[in-house]
Amino acid sequence: MVPKELEWVWNARWASYEAGDKELYQFSEKDFDKKAKKLAQAGVNAVITSGFHFRWSFVHEWPKLSEMLRKIVKSCHKYNIKVVEHHSAVLTHNPAGENEWSQIKKWEINLKHKEFYKGLEDGDISYEGVWLSQMRQIDPRTGQFSHTVYKGWALCPNNPLYQKLYFQYLAQVYKCGVDGIMTDDVQFRPSGYGCGCPYCRKLFTQKTGYKMPPNGLCDKSFYGNMDNPSYRAWLIWRKESTRDHHRRVTNHFRRLGLELCRPFYSSADTTAWAIQGLAGEVENASKLWTTIFTEVLGLLPNYYTWPYAGSEAKHRNALCYREKVPAMCLFYPKDEKENLLCWALTKSWGQCYWGGISEKKQEALGEVFNFEKEHPELYEKPETISEIGILFSSQTRTTYKGMKEEYYVEEWRGWVQTLMRANIQFDVIIDQDLEQKRYFDRFKLLILPNAAHLSKKQISSLYSFVEKGGNLILTYETGMYDETGRKHEKYPLEKLKKYGKGKVLTIPGKPGVKTSFYLESIVDDKRLIKTNYKPDKNSMKLIIDSVKKLYNKPLLETENIHEGILVNIFKHKKELVIHLANVAGTSDYKGKIIKPAKHLNFPSVYSLSGKSSMTLKIRKIMRKAKLFSPEIKEEIDLNCYQKNSCTIVEIPDKYLNCYSAILLEK
Ligand SMILES: [Zn+2]
């Protein structure tokens, strides 16, 4: 639930507030005011600060940074903009080797900050009598500091010295009057091994009774060995341990009498590499967040990678529906056109938008944010009405087989992406939802793509769903193991087929793996990607045919709608809103090197279909249909009529370029 003080987060229109050397050394109060005014004019009403991200590398400047933050907050509040402070809670800069040193030296910020640079040369920084090296994460294979991909080391959130100093610092940040806090990068490194510090070892043994192998040993009977129950317990303990850090943050500010907004995110919360690897899970701490979002990484060309971002976004929706908080999506568009598309995708997923466009181009946010501000009826608190649930099994992702995504995640992702492409309305649900039979009154079909690890409670939920007439699709090894990864002696779903009124379809293979979008490689840092991705047509057909067979009276049907026009429906009080987003031309690009600037266009809908209008059929009775778009000045009345308890809406092709929304009234 969103606390009363933070209700504003439901209608937040987010942007980044870049705070660097210019703001720190040169800005006058007038400059801060000017910057805030510009953001307000672009329709922004909430910002997340960025700058001096590896905060521990700048300990000597913390008082000065707080002074700047106070000015940012004061100026933003003048224009009714909320401010969330954001930094890395654990990462530090420590270049290793010639190559990393030369990169750091090129980065001019370091040269201006003498103490920071001295800290790099000395190899350590002391703060309040504590060396940073006393708080670092340890690579258990070597007993040395854990090196990160960010050219540095990381501090350990389980270290009591760290906890004391970090919470002292957070209290200083809160005194600047911020509305929220984001403490990033709370993960264990190196991937799959960290942390081997004495505090982590002790905690792990206390909580589970198991022991980690001693430092200086890469024990293969432990690391990566899913047959070893102590390794599986360690994977689960690590993610509980990062959650405990976040819980301490909330408890701490509440003890200070504060209620702060806590946006939280992951770019890849569903993946094994993120959770088995680094253990910083969003899902298991979802109760703590005020808004939960996906960061769509800046190096991915947004246009082509929407299926990947979309499947992650669907998972965040699952967490947000459960916790009754708004979902959000952060994109890094590079110009106005990309911004429009990124916003359109976000809105069609029922989420708030954080336009992470560079400061120079922030004006572009005005086009979409001011439109959004004028049409609260299209965007405020969307409610889902879908009748299909797809289980994302965090249990399976965490302790099933190993870190290769095709074991589990790609199978799940393939089902999600194929249904998104086909405009079949559905929701992702999580393990606890299934356990608690949540949404069972709404769902007609449940899909479990290789949900191998199921608890007794989840299995009994499935029996009661089928007993009452719900239909079920299971693939591959669904239900073969318990929630901790121990194999069931007897297959517990054996009797399900002949159990109740509902139909059960079992698919022995993993069709999702063959349809799931992946990137082969990122060619360089200019956001070019090479991909051999080509969804297997037969597997796609198998997925869609299976769903249509068990769900034959869909909530929403489309006619004359070309592939690549995405259609999503939400309920807003008594009205329904349908979002149309145009991503046509992104489905077939085997082996191509993709240059996003060249490819970003919105092919006219007419040229795609050769027909002059699109038709939507909705299984609800509605009387009126109006179309709105930031690309069209006036609102358009659409032809709309009722037939066999359904509403039919016709949309002339000329009314869809990149994005349009349709409001259906009773
Ligand atoms: Zn540790």
Side-chain angles (χ1 to χ4, degrees):
M1 285 282 278
V2 175
K4 248 208 307 232
E5 301 90 323
L6 304 174
E7 276 285 318
W8 57 266
V9 77
W10 283 104
N11 297 316
R13 299 180 295 273
W14 297 94
S16 307
Y17 191 110
E18 292 169 25
D21 279 6
K22 199 174 66 190
E23 286 75 7
L24 189 67
Y25 294 121
Q26 295 161 14
F27 257 37
S28 66
E29 275 197 30
K30 259 192 184 159
D31 293 324
F32 282 110
D33 269 11
K34 234 167 93 185
K35 189 163 167 167
K37 190 177 173 187
K38 238 177 112 186
L39 285 161
Q41 279 167 348
V44 172
N45 62 7
V47 292
I48 296 186
T49 60
S50 74
F52 306 95
H53 191 62
F54 290 14
R55 199 58 55 87
W56 287 93
S57 289
F58 299 94
V59 284
H60 296 291
E61 296 188 85
W62 281 359
K64 211 170 161 49
L65 290 174
S66 291
E67 213 180 290
M68 171 177 72
L69 182 60
R70 211 168 289 130
K71 290 175 190 161
I72 292 173
V73 171
K74 195 178 156 200
S75 55
C76 284
H77 282 180
K78 209 186 267 182
Y79 292 93
N80 293 320
I81 298 171
K82 304 288 182 187
V83 180
V84 173
E85 213 280 333
H86 153 239
H87 58 258
S88 175
V90 298
L91 297 175
T92 59
H93 291 290
N94 310 88
E98 296 283 335
N99 188 21
E100 290 192 3
W101 261 102
S102 62
Q103 285 183 36
I104 286 277
K105 280 182 180 170
K106 265 193 255 163
W107 191 35
E108 54 141 2
I109 194 173
N110 303 336
L111 301 169
K112 284 188 189 161
H113 299 261
K114 279 187 196 147
E115 289 290 344
F116 166 76
Y117 206 61
K118 187 172 176 297
L120 288 186
E121 285 182 339
D122 292 352
D124 214 343
I125 297 175
S126 161
Y127 181 69
E128 305 238 325
V130 177
W131 293 101
L132 295 194
S133 59
Q134 290 172 267
M135 305 187 281
R136 284 184 192 136
Q137 292 186 26
I138 301 296
D139 182 342
R141 293 171 301 177
T142 60
Q144 307 297 312
F145 304 135
S146 300
H147 194 251
T148 76
V149 294
Y150 303 103
K151 303 176 183 61
W153 291 312
L155 307 185
C156 180
N158 285 330
N159 183 311
L161 287 170
Y162 165 88
Q163 288 173 8
K164 181 172 163 258
L165 294 180
Y166 187 57
F167 286 107
Q168 238 170 267
Y169 173 61
L170 285 182
Q172 293 310 309
V173 169
Y174 302 153
K175 279 190 183 153
C176 302
V178 293
D179 303 284
I181 188 76
M182 248 172 87
T183 82
D184 281 18
D185 306 313
V186 178
Q187 296 165 326
F188 290 114
R189 295 177 167 86
S191 173
Y193 296 98
C195 165
C197 86
Y199 307 104
C200 283
R201 292 174 171 282
K202 196 174 155 195
L203 264 178
F204 171 58
T205 305
Q206 264 175 9
K207 288 271 158 83
T208 66
Y210 293 115
K211 272 188 172 174
M212 279 176 73
N215 279 352
L217 192 67
C218 181
D219 185 346
K220 295 241 163 72
S221 72
F222 183 86
Y223 299 110
N225 178 14
M226 285 296 186
D227 293 331
N228 183 342
S230 61
Y231 174 66
R232 296 201 305 269
W234 182 70
L235 289 175
I236 293 167
W237 169 78
R238 280 167 100 215
K239 67 191 188 95
E240 284 172 357
S241 187
T242 58
R243 177 204 59 202
D244 290 347
H245 164 87
H246 294 299
R247 201 177 269 164
R248 284 191 290 273
V249 172
T250 294
N251 292 343
H252 169 245
F253 66 63
R254 288 200 175 140
R255 272 203 308 276
L256 297 174
L258 298 167
E259 194 55 74
L260 294 172
C261 175
R262 293 197 76 189
F264 206 71
Y265 76 101
S266 164
S267 58
D269 206 51
T270 63
T271 63
W273 73 260
I275 308 305
Q276 290 181 27
L278 301 167
E281 197 181 29
V282 173
E283 181 176 318
N284 71 343
S286 59
K287 278 201 168 9
L288 299 169
W289 317 127
T290 328
T291 177
I292 306 174
F293 68 100
T294 311
E295 180 191 28
V296 185
L297 293 177
L299 69 172
L300 305 179
N302 300 319
Y303 190 41
Y304 279 87
T305 54
W306 73 264
Y308 183 89
S311 52
E312 285 295 311
K314 278 281 189 180
H315 169 260
R316 304 307 180 273
N317 275 353
L319 307 184
C320 289
Y321 294 151
R322 199 182 152 77
E323 303 302 337
K324 299 189 171 55
V325 298
M328 194 239 281
C329 206
L330 161 60
F331 277 99
Y332 298 100
K334 65 174 181 356
D335 58 27
E336 205 166 328
K337 246 183 160 184
E338 263 193 31
N339 182 59
L340 176 61
L341 180 74
C342 295
W343 172 83
L345 285 170
T346 305
K347 289 292 130 189
S348 69
W349 299 331
Q351 306 194 337
C352 293
Y353 180 58
W354 173 357
I357 196 165
S358 73
E359 191 180 330
K360 278 185 206 141
K361 294 180 179 165
Q362 252 167 354
E363 259 180 52
L365 295 174
E367 183 196 7
V368 295
F369 278 162
N370 288 322
F371 176 80
E372 193 178 323
K373 210 165 130 186
E374 283 160 27
H375 295 286
E377 74 280 13
L378 302 175
Y379 303 112
E380 253 181 35
K381 294 193 179 177
E383 282 174 58
T384 175
I385 50 171
S386 87
E387 297 168 337
I388 300 177
I390 302 185
L391 176 69
F392 172 73
S393 168
S394 151
Q395 291 160 187
T396 308
R397 183 274 325 278
T398 306
T399 51
Y400 175 66
K401 294 202 171 166
M403 234 186 268
K404 279 190 190 155
E405 307 299 351
E406 62 258 39
Y407 290 145
Y408 169 65
V409 179
E410 295 302 347
E411 170 64 0
W412 169 80
R413 213 187 282 292
W415 280 81
V416 168
Q417 292 175 351
T418 302
L419 265 56
M420 284 179 102
R421 287 177 198 281
N423 292 323
I424 296 172
Q425 307 297 305
F426 70 94
D427 285 313
V428 168
I429 61 167
I430 63 169
D431 284 319
Q432 289 97 314
D433 294 331
L434 176 60
E435 208 174 285
Q436 295 158 0
K437 305 179 191 172
R438 224 173 237 245
Y439 320 121
F440 273 20
D441 51 343
R442 174 155 56 87
F443 287 151
K444 296 184 171 19
L445 171 64
L446 273 180
I447 304 171
L448 280 68
N450 196 25
H453 294 188
L454 293 179
S455 69
K456 268 188 188 154
K457 269 193 182 165
Q458 289 175 311
I459 285 163
S460 103
S461 294
L462 291 177
Y463 275 93
S464 90
F465 185 69
V466 174
E467 188 182 7
K468 289 180 184 141
N471 294 336
L472 205 56
I473 297 175
L474 316 169
T475 80
Y476 203 58
E477 292 197 339
T478 292
M480 294 268 267
Y481 304 77
D482 74 8
E483 71 274 26
T484 70
R486 195 195 320 261
K487 202 164 183 174
H488 288 296
E489 280 172 21
K490 216 176 143 202
Y491 184 54
L493 300 177
E494 193 64 54
K495 291 181 187 153
L496 201 54
K497 272 206 152 180
K498 289 169 195 153
Y499 195 71
K501 285 188 258 169
K503 293 190 185 100
V504 180
L505 178 67
T506 49
I507 297 174
K510 290 195 275 188
V513 172
K514 293 183 189 156
T515 65
S516 167
F517 178 90
Y518 66 93
L519 300 173
E520 186 193 325
S521 61
I522 290 164
V523 177
D524 64 16
D525 59 5
K526 288 185 195 124
R527 308 200 317 160
L528 307 183
I529 54 166
K530 182 168 182 248
T531 172
N532 257 333
Y533 171 68
K534 193 166 192 182
D536 175 54
K537 293 257 153 69
N538 290 334
S539 302
M540 269 181 148
K541 191 172 176 305
L542 174 64
I543 289 175
I544 290 170
D545 288 351
S546 311
V547 171
K548 286 190 171 166
K549 196 171 149 195
L550 297 188
Y551 179 67
N552 52 21
K553 277 187 202 147
L555 175 73
L556 183 140
E557 280 176 275
T558 59
E559 224 176 89
N560 288 346
I561 287 203
H562 190 272
E563 196 184 323
I565 307 298
L566 303 179
V567 184
N568 284 286
I569 187 165
F570 290 96
K571 190 171 158 243
H572 291 256
K573 293 179 187 147
K574 285 181 183 163
E575 279 85 46
L576 295 175
V577 175
I578 296 174
H579 304 272
L580 303 171
N582 182 356
V583 293
T586 61
S587 58
D588 187 17
Y589 35 93
K590 187 174 166 61
K592 278 181 198 164
I593 290 185
I594 297 165
K595 294 177 190 170
K598 252 192 186 165
H599 286 71
L600 183 59
N601 58 18
F602 313 113
S604 92
V605 179
Y606 179 74
S607 73
L608 292 170
S609 65
K611 309 250 168 56
S612 61
S613 74
M614 304 171 274
T615 308
L616 300 176
K617 184 174 160 192
I618 304 108
R619 194 174 14 83
K620 302 262 176 199
I621 293 293
M622 307 303 278
R623 304 281 167 198
K624 258 193 205 165
K626 280 187 224 158
L627 180 140
F628 303 85
S629 167
E631 300 161 284
I632 302 170
K633 281 213 173 79
E634 68 275 30
E635 59 174 77
I636 311 286
D637 284 320
L638 296 176
N639 184 20
C640 154
Y641 57 94
Q642 292 74 39
K643 197 178 162 187
N644 303 335
S645 314
C646 290
T647 304
I648 319 281
V649 183
E650 274 170 13
I651 309 145
D653 283 354
K654 61 180 175 186
Y655 294 134
L656 175 62
N657 185 40
C658 172
Y659 167 86
S660 295
I662 299 162
L663 179 71
L664 293 169
E665 293 171 331
K666 279 208 166 162

